[in-house]
Every structure is written in C-alpha cells, then in structure tokens.
Amino acid sequence: MGAGELLTGLNEAQQATVRHHGTPLLILAGAGSGKTRVITYKIAYLLQELGYHPREILAVTFTNKAAREMKERAVGLCPEASEVMIRTFHSFGAWLLRRFAEDAGLSRSFTIYDDDDMVSLLRGIYPEEQRSALRRVARRISRAKDLCLDPEDDLSPIGFDPRFGAMYGAYTRRLNEIGNVDFGDLILRPISLLGARGGSGGPLSVGGLIRSRFRAVLVDEYQDSNRAQYQLLKTLVGPDTYICVVGDDDQSIYRFRGAEVGNILSFPDSFPGAEIHRLEQNYRSTAPILAVADAVVARNTGRLGKTLFTTRTDGPLPRLVLLPDHEAEAEFCRTLLAREPSAAAETAILYRTNAQSRVFETTFARAGIAYRIVGSLRFYDREEIKDAIAYLKLFANPADEVAFRRIINKPSRGLGAVSVDRIFSALEDGAAEHGYDLIAATEAAASGLSRKASAAARGFVQAYRELGAGLAGGLLNEFVAQVFERFGLVAYHVEQDEDTGLGKRENLEEFLSAASMYPATPEGLVELLENLELDSGREQEASSDARNAVTLITMHNTKGLEFDRVIITGLEDGLFPRSDDDQEELEEERRLFYVAVTRARNEVYFTSCRSRMVNGRTLELYPSRFLQEIPEDLVDIDEQQVQRKRTRFGDARQGSGRMAYRTAGHDAHQGSRHAAEAEAEAEARFPAFSAVYHDEYGSGMVAKVWWSGSHEMVLVRFETGRELQFVAEYSGLERISSDSF
DNA sequence: GTCAGAAGGTTTTTT
DNA sequence: ACCTTCTGAC
C-alpha cells in the first residue's frame, strides 16, 4: 500500500496529522473526530512510509480495551504492527520492571497490589485502625504516588494529617520487604529506573537503552495523564524521540485519580517546538446532539477551546423525560426497549454511579430484556476469584502477606487470629535466616501452636510444597485445579453459594479455563496473575441473549465507545453533578456530561427523577443544573408532560426563557401532590378495576392507582397471576372493555 | 475457634 | 441497601 492509498478515506486535517513528523505533536481531537483512526494510521505510516521498525514504536493508552482495539486496527492496516508495543501506562511499567527487575531491585516474579490489597496491607501494619480510615490512607498514598511524592517529601499537597507521612513510610517499607508493587509503583519505579545511570543496559543505562529503542512514542487520552505519567513520558523521550500525544481537554474526567488537565494545556511548554493540530470534524453525532454537549461544556473556563462541526445536520432533538422516581426511570427504559427490541444492541443506558445499575437489572430481568453490564462487579473482584488469586500469588511470592492473610484460614482449617499472630512473630524472628518467607514462618511457628492449629499449619506447608513442585511443565490449569482441590476451594465456595445464590462454581471454572492459556511454570503463573491484575476483563454477560443486549454502563466507562442511542439517566442535582460547590469538580462533571452526550450517534434521552433511593433512604431531588444550562430550544421535553403541565398548572414555560424546564421540572416534580391530587385522580386514564391489555403480559386488571408527582402510577394484576407496576404513560397498557374479564 | 445475628457506617467515578 | 465489625453462645 503506497502513501496515497494508505491515506485515502482520511480528511485533510487527519492526513496532515498522520504525515506529521519531527517536532513534538499535540493532537487536539474532539469527540468522534476519528482520534483512534488517526493514531492507528500514524502507526501504519511510521512503519510503511518512514521505515520505522515495529520494535521502535511505543503506543500508550489508558485502558486495556483501548490498547487491544488500537492493536487490532493497526494490524488491519499493516500486519507488521503486531510487533509494535501497545500497552497501558501501567502494563508498560510492569513490562519494564520485569524486564529490568534486577536494576529495579525487584524479583522478576513480583505481583501487583490493587487498592483493596493496599488496605489489607495497611491493616496488617495497623490492626487497631478502622478500615474506613485505612481506606482513606490508601487513597492518599495513591494520590501521593500520582504526584511523584515519596514518604519523606513534603506531603502537604495531600492534606494535613500529621500521621500520614509515617504511615506512608511504614507502608512503603513493608511493601519493599514483601517485594511486590502497587499500581502507583508501576509508574514511579520506572521513572527512577529510566532516570538512573548505569545498570544492565550494558554500555548504556537502562534509560539510554530504552530511549534508543523507542524512537517514536504515541500517547492516547493524554488529558487523563497524571503528574507521574507525565514524568515517565519525560524520561522516555530523548532528544531524538518523536513524541505525539492525542487528547481532548474537554474529556478529562479522571481528576479524582490524579489526572491533570494541565498536562495537555502545557504540552507546548513541556516539549519545546511542539506543534498543535486540531481535529474538529465530528463523524459520529448529529448536530442537535453536539449542540447540547457543547452548550454545557462551553460554560467551563480554562479550555483550549474548539468547535466541532458535522455534516449530519438533521436528527431529532435530545429528549428530556421527567419521572417520579428511579423505578419509573427503569420502567421508561424498559418500555423504550420493548418498543423496538432490535435496537437494544445499539442502545446504552448511562449512569453516574454503579449503584444505579441495580434497578435496571431487576426491571430488565423481570421483563426478559437482555442486558450487558460493563464494569461494576469485575470478575477479578469476586470473592472466590480473589481467593483463587491469593492462593496463586502465594506461589508466585511466598512473602505475599496480603495473600497469605486472606487464605491461611479460608476455608477454615483452625488457624485463627492467635495462630496467625504467632506465625507473624516467627516471620520477624526468622527474617534474617529465611528472608521474608511466610511458608517457612508457618513451619517454624507450627510447633508452638495448639495441637489442632499445629497440625493444620504443617498440613498447609506440606500441601504448598508438594503443589509447588507441580510448576514444572504442562498447562497451568492443571496446576490451578490441583491447588483448588488440595485446599478445598471449590467445595468451600459451592457450599457458600447455596444460600448466597449465583455461579461461584462457574466463576472458578471460568478461572480454570483462563489459566489453560498459560504454561505451568513460574513464569506462566506470573503472567496469568499480571493479566488478571491489570486487565480484569471487565465485562459480564448477565443474561443469556447477549447479542441483542442493551448496555448498562457508567459514564466514565463509556469513554471511547459509541452507540446509536444513549439514555443518560439520573440527571438530578446531587447525583449528576454530584456537587456544585467546588468549581473544579463541577467543571469535571460538565466534561463528563460532554463525554456522555457525545457517545450518541443518533438519539439522546435524558431522564430526571423527582425522588430516588440512595443508601436505603428516599431522597427528594431537583433536576440537574446541567439541564438549565441547555438553551430550551435544543431539547424536547416529553410532550405528554408539557400537556399535562399546561392543563394543570397553566403554561409551565411562562416567563422562563432558559429556565424553561427548571420551572417545568419543579412544577412537575413538586407541585402536584397536594392541590392537584383530587384533580389528578379525576383524569386518571386507568381507573382502579378497569380492564387493561399489555402486549407482553396479556390482559389484566388495574388493582391500584396512585399519583407520584405528576405521574399516574398503576399496579396491574395480570391473568397470569403476575403483578406489575407501571407509569401509566409509558406502560404500553390499553384499556379494554371490561366484559372480557 | 466458629458462627449467627445485631449494630452501625457508608462509595462517585478506575488503571 | 449493602457491607463490615462487634457481640455472645456454642
């Protein structure tokens, strides 16, 4: 494929960007402007036209999904791209640390601690502290690492807790003794590794070696990089490295994780001579959708600023639906999906918090609507999987205190808190002799334990040693199966599952089959663990018919995805935006709104509830301030609603201007319960005891009618015996003559 | 050492 | 509503 051929199908701006070479390049790519396309073409262009060897190119993303997709698409353009290193920042860091383990002061078989593991480790050091307090400390340690701060540095940017420095220090020492790393270390340790002189890079330092290998470095979603990642990038880029970053300051949504929009804003200062290219043509959404997204994000200050345009000028206005509560919201979505089942696969329901997914799950499960949840409970987060991983981690690293504490008495084998304490004393005593080895410590402590505990400890050590000898070839699933069997893990969880409910056995089986992709060697084991730790394969098919399933997803998780139709739920102050008293935070929520809206190709719905159950309490809520920030002519308010309001409250839009549905929302949301109650009853279209018919559920009788806000709610008892609750307007119910009943 | 039940706090978003 | 932690009986 010649250059001309490679670049056909790209617009002029995209072509210029793909061709650019030499100076540092910042690509400001608006939503839907073909960002991934440009990067993948750029990789192909470097390989085909500029003669780069695949090993000389490094492309960094923020999610594994993005990395996989980029790889796939690049290989589609140019097969050589399969050898290009395309990884997340964290996985690149892990690769580097294993590759140069000795220089980094690590064993090649270190494993990676996630946020929960950090808390558990702290718990081992500070058993008397509250778990919630330790969680806060863990979060702060992560923030410190995002900012490249060591325990002895000035930690005031993190907050004012006088004990924090000491706790961070103790945590760091313990983690070093164990020989594992946390997520932050995957960025921090490479910075010092690459910055250091000498080492096993031969005549070159490790940094020199890496800088001479990667002649081109590409970074995706640069607006989400934090200070540590920026530093890592700096150490990767030498005078001859071609550096190109892509991002959109309006889509920076990971501030809470340390992301600094400042990185993208100041790129030209950090990398002198940088050029800026803009990609502003949106190929995804219709103009009405972009108008709404822009209206809100335009209120942010400190933007680089850009104007998206599209040739898709036609399309329905985004639609706002006001609802009484979260159940009605789920019911509204159900009805929408039932009306056109084939569109479900291209529909996504977006929410701000994972907890919001629950109503949708139960509603859809009841209605037999297939759904797919992205995120929420990750495979790796399940109890039984964490247990399985903990056993395996202990084989990778016998010093892994967190893994050890988790499984030493699970299933319970009579080694309780007292015995575990003794084992840890033995660990301290024997550290000089055996190093940090919990198996050796358990063996050493066994004689000093009660009779039952002593036998259990010896049995555990023996099982560990015999099983460990099995890491000598074959496939890893055989080894894992033996571990499960010998330690009684499957039996334990199957028994637990009897009252808890679902699929632990299946999950463990799935785990086994994942393990079959690796060799039964120490290296294979470490590789499996790393893949689980860094890429938890976070997608679960929650109901059988996955092909036509609707997607349930947090707004954060949608980044990089697109759908024909997007329903953005929970547009209520306090939920989205979560709070508006911190300006920075409010601006981040606006960017999240922008991300959410721009996922849609053709249709956008907003739903806003008057009340919602949060943490077991029902809260009264106001419509999101974002709804006020949209000029009224850019959104359709549910027509039936407006009708209703006009008749009941006069013209809801009077004297409102921009505030139209703020007013409307308040009327609809608040006005009706007292004065309007009687009137509302009078205009009920499904009086109690009337006969009704529903396409899916057949005929039935209205058992109960009530008003929730301005909404008529009905409880219908169907002939099948089923009782279901509906918002009358969205129910799809028809009244039928009562003699059929 | 284990278990069941009660009390009490609490989550925004994720590599 | 959920999960963790605490308490007391076996």
Side-chain angles (χ1 to χ4, degrees):
Chain A
M1 214 193 272
E5 224 177 308
L6 177 66
L7 299 181
T8 48
L10 296 182
N11 70 29
E12 241 166 71
Q14 291 173 331
Q15 288 195 18
T17 298
V18 169
R19 282 212 188 87
H20 176 276
H21 191 255
T23 62
L25 177 65
L26 165 61
I27 306 171
L28 286 175
S33 64
K35 175 177 59 95
T36 310
R37 198 143 184 251
V38 165
I39 305 190
T40 50
Y41 273 74
K42 218 164 163 50
I43 291 171
Y45 191 83
L46 289 169
L47 293 170
Q48 276 179 18
E49 304 301 326
L50 300 180
Y52 275 74
H53 188 277
R55 286 175 46 88
E56 295 175 321
I57 302 174
L58 170 65
V60 184
T61 64
F62 276 82
T63 67
N64 294 287
K65 202 170 175 184
R68 274 191 298 269
E69 191 188 330
M70 193 183 292
K71 176 78 131 218
E72 212 170 279
R73 289 172 65 172
V75 170
L77 291 175
C78 173
E80 281 177 282
S82 63
E83 284 169 63
V84 171
M85 185 170 287
I86 304 182
R87 287 175 180 257
T88 64
F89 263 111
H90 291 91
S91 128
F92 173 70
W95 171 80
L96 208 59
L97 293 179
R98 278 197 220 287
R99 170 85 174 66
F100 300 100
E102 209 173 303
D103 300 281
L106 287 164
S107 148
R108 202 157 288 234
S109 59
F110 68 82
T111 58
I112 301 160
Y113 279 168
D114 68 10
D115 297 3
D116 281 345
D117 298 328
M118 291 175 78
V119 176
S120 306
L121 184 60
L122 284 163
R123 225 177 140 63
I125 310 173
Y126 300 103
E128 71 288 353
E129 292 288 333
Q130 296 278 326
R131 202 184 177 79
S132 56
L134 293 177
R135 198 170 294 148
R136 210 158 33 240
V137 173
R139 220 180 347 242
R140 286 178 148 188
I141 292 175
S142 297
R143 288 301 75 77
K145 293 191 175 193
D146 291 341
L147 289 167
C148 286
L149 297 175
D150 291 328
E152 52 280 353
D153 289 331
D154 170 18
L155 294 169
S156 55
I158 311 294
F160 299 99
D161 184 348
R163 295 180 56 212
F164 175 66
M167 293 174 97
Y168 182 14
Y171 168 89
T172 303
R173 282 190 295 280
R174 186 65 72 91
L175 191 54
N176 284 336
E177 282 166 344
I178 292 171
N180 282 351
V181 301
D182 60 21
F183 272 92
D185 291 339
L186 292 175
I187 310 297
L188 280 190
R189 298 183 80 129
I191 296 172
S192 33
L193 177 66
L194 294 175
R197 293 167 193 283
S200 65
L204 289 170
S205 64
V206 175
L209 189 76
I210 289 296
R211 280 186 290 275
S212 66
R213 166 168 171 182
F214 294 114
R215 292 174 50 224
V217 177
L218 310 170
V219 185
D220 193 14
E221 307 281 12
Y222 188 62
Q223 75 282 354
D224 283 325
S225 59
N226 60 33
R227 190 174 305 174
Q229 287 159 337
Y230 164 75
Q231 287 295 346
L232 177 55
L233 197 57
K234 274 297 230 184
T235 60
L236 278 170
V237 173
D240 302 321
T241 313
Y242 176 56
I243 163 91
C244 166
V245 306
V246 192
D248 178 359
D249 51 317
D250 288 332
Q251 294 190 62
S252 174
I253 55 174
Y254 285 108
R255 203 173 75 99
F256 68 91
R257 204 172 76 189
E260 295 185 12
V261 210
N263 285 350
I264 195 167
L265 302 177
S266 62
F267 183 83
D269 303 326
S270 322
F271 296 90
E275 281 181 39
I276 301 181
H277 284 196
R278 284 164 195 272
L279 301 176
E280 298 181 307
Q281 178 164 5
N282 176 295
Y283 289 97
R284 181 185 298 152
S285 313
T286 63
I289 291 171
L290 293 182
V292 165
D294 190 62
V296 171
V297 82
R299 290 165 181 270
N300 278 355
T301 57
R303 303 169 63 211
L304 287 171
K306 65 183 156 344
T307 316
L308 286 182
F309 64 96
T310 174
T311 55
R312 299 190 59 202
T313 48
D314 288 333
L317 295 186
R319 215 173 162 77
L320 167 62
V321 183
L322 300 168
L323 296 158
D325 59 28
H326 59 291
E327 302 218 324
E329 184 178 58
E331 187 57 31
F332 166 76
C333 294
R334 187 197 69 74
T335 313
L336 202 61
L337 290 164
R339 209 181 289 158
E340 199 188 345
S342 62
E346 271 306 331
T347 300
I349 296 175
L350 275 51
Y351 36 78
R352 180 65 236 276
T353 66
N354 280 306
Q356 286 167 256
S357 72
R358 192 161 221 101
V359 213
F360 295 112
E361 291 179 66
T362 50
T363 303
F364 294 167
R366 200 180 58 192
I369 291 179
Y371 62 92
R372 184 169 76 97
I373 296 192
V374 182
S376 73
L377 220 225
R378 307 182 302 171
F379 184 65
Y380 173 70
D381 283 339
R382 287 160 214 254
E383 186 197 3
E384 64 277 17
I385 301 303
K386 290 210 103 172
D387 290 346
I389 289 173
Y391 273 103
L392 297 185
K393 275 181 158 179
L394 201 56
F395 282 98
N397 178 5
D400 191 331
E401 171 181 339
V402 171
F404 181 84
R405 283 190 196 273
R406 183 176 182 101
I407 52 83
I408 184 60
N409 199 31
K410 190 176 185 183
S412 62
R413 46 177 74 90
L415 289 168
V418 176
S419 306
V420 171
D421 277 351
R422 292 207 182 123
I423 292 171
F424 274 88
S425 315
L427 178 71
E428 302 290 330
D429 299 342
E433 201 184 325
H434 311 104
Y436 248 65
D437 184 330
L438 283 154
I439 305 306
T442 306
E443 189 174 40
S447 55
L449 302 177
S450 72
R451 181 129 45 92
K452 189 174 151 209
S454 168
R458 291 204 173 91
F460 183 86
V461 170
Q462 194 184 359
Y464 180 92
R465 296 221 167 110
E466 286 174 17
L467 287 163
L471 275 176
L475 289 178
L476 194 58
N477 58 326
E478 295 158 20
F479 169 75
V480 178
Q482 282 171 21
V483 171
F484 285 4
E485 179 60 36
R486 186 80 188 254
F487 290 114
L489 203 62
V490 177
Y492 170 79
H493 281 295
V494 166
E495 193 189 326
Q496 293 288 303
D497 209 20
E498 277 173 8
D499 35 58
T500 52
L502 252 95
K504 295 197 172 196
R505 180 197 291 274
E506 288 72 15
N507 288 336
L508 287 168
E509 278 163 6
E510 197 181 329
F511 186 84
L512 272 182
S513 77
S516 68
M517 323 266 268
Y518 302 81
T521 59
E523 294 74 27
L525 177 63
V526 166
E527 205 183 328
L528 167 72
L529 289 170
E530 179 170 315
N531 286 337
L532 288 164
E533 287 150 354
L534 293 183
D535 180 13
S536 32
R538 309 181 347 269
E539 204 157 306
Q540 69 173 282
E541 311 295 337
S543 71
S544 51
D545 184 13
R547 253 176 314 123
N548 200 27
V550 59
T551 300
L552 303 181
I553 189 168
T554 63
M555 298 184 206
H556 281 86
N557 260 324
T558 59
K559 200 155 64 162
L561 304 180
E562 56 182 81
F563 303 88
D564 285 345
R565 181 163 70 180
V566 165
I567 309 173
I568 303 172
T569 66
L571 275 134
E572 296 124 34
D573 268 353
L575 185 63
F576 186 42
R578 183 160 179 276
S579 112
D580 53 13
D581 40 65
D582 174 359
Q583 192 59 28
E584 296 270 312
E585 205 176 307
L586 176 62
E587 296 210 348
E588 172 128 326
E589 301 270 315
R590 281 210 192 93
R591 294 191 290 264
L592 187 57
F593 179 91
Y594 177 83
V595 168
V597 173
T598 54
R599 297 310 96 194
R601 294 191 196 100
N602 308 328
E603 282 176 84
V604 172
Y605 287 84
F606 299 109
T607 60
S608 176
C609 299
R610 190 177 65 75
S611 75
R612 167 183 303 278
M613 184 94 89
V614 179
N615 289 343
R617 296 212 67 98
T618 301
L619 299 182
E620 301 285 310
L621 297 158
Y622 294 93
S624 169
R625 59 175 286 154
F626 294 157
L627 295 172
Q628 292 176 71
E629 293 179 354
I630 308 169
E632 65 173 297
D633 54 336
L634 295 186
V635 175
D636 258 344
I637 307 179
D638 190 288
E639 271 183 39
Q640 298 170 48
Q641 300 259 333
V642 174
Q643 280 295 305
R644 241 171 219 295
K645 270 164 246 144
R646 287 223 171 100
T647 53
R648 203 174 304 151
F649 306 114
D651 186 354
R653 293 180 173 234
Q654 68 188 9
S656 53
R658 182 178 293 288
M659 300 285 285
Y661 25 77
R662 178 60 152 189
T663 320
H666 275 232
D667 283 348
H669 279 181
Q670 307 211 308
S672 68
R673 276 170 302 159
H674 312 291
E677 202 84 27
E679 191 187 346
E681 293 288 356
E683 61 180 287
R685 42 181 128 167
F686 297 105
F689 310 117
S690 59
V692 292
Y693 178 80
H694 189 280
D695 277 344
E696 261 169 274
Y697 307 116
S699 44
M701 186 192 71
V702 176
K704 197 176 144 195
V705 188
W706 71 103
W707 288 82
S708 180
S710 63
H711 290 263
E712 180 184 357
M713 304 290 296
V714 291
L715 179 71
V716 179
R717 188 170 304 132
F718 289 97
E719 281 179 329
T720 54
R722 212 160 174 186
E723 280 192 7
L724 293 173
Q725 175 183 317
F726 301 90
V727 184
E729 289 147 79
Y730 308 120
S731 62
L733 289 168
E734 287 168 56
R735 276 187 76 172
I736 54 176
S737 72
S738 51
D739 52 34
S740 67
F741 211 66

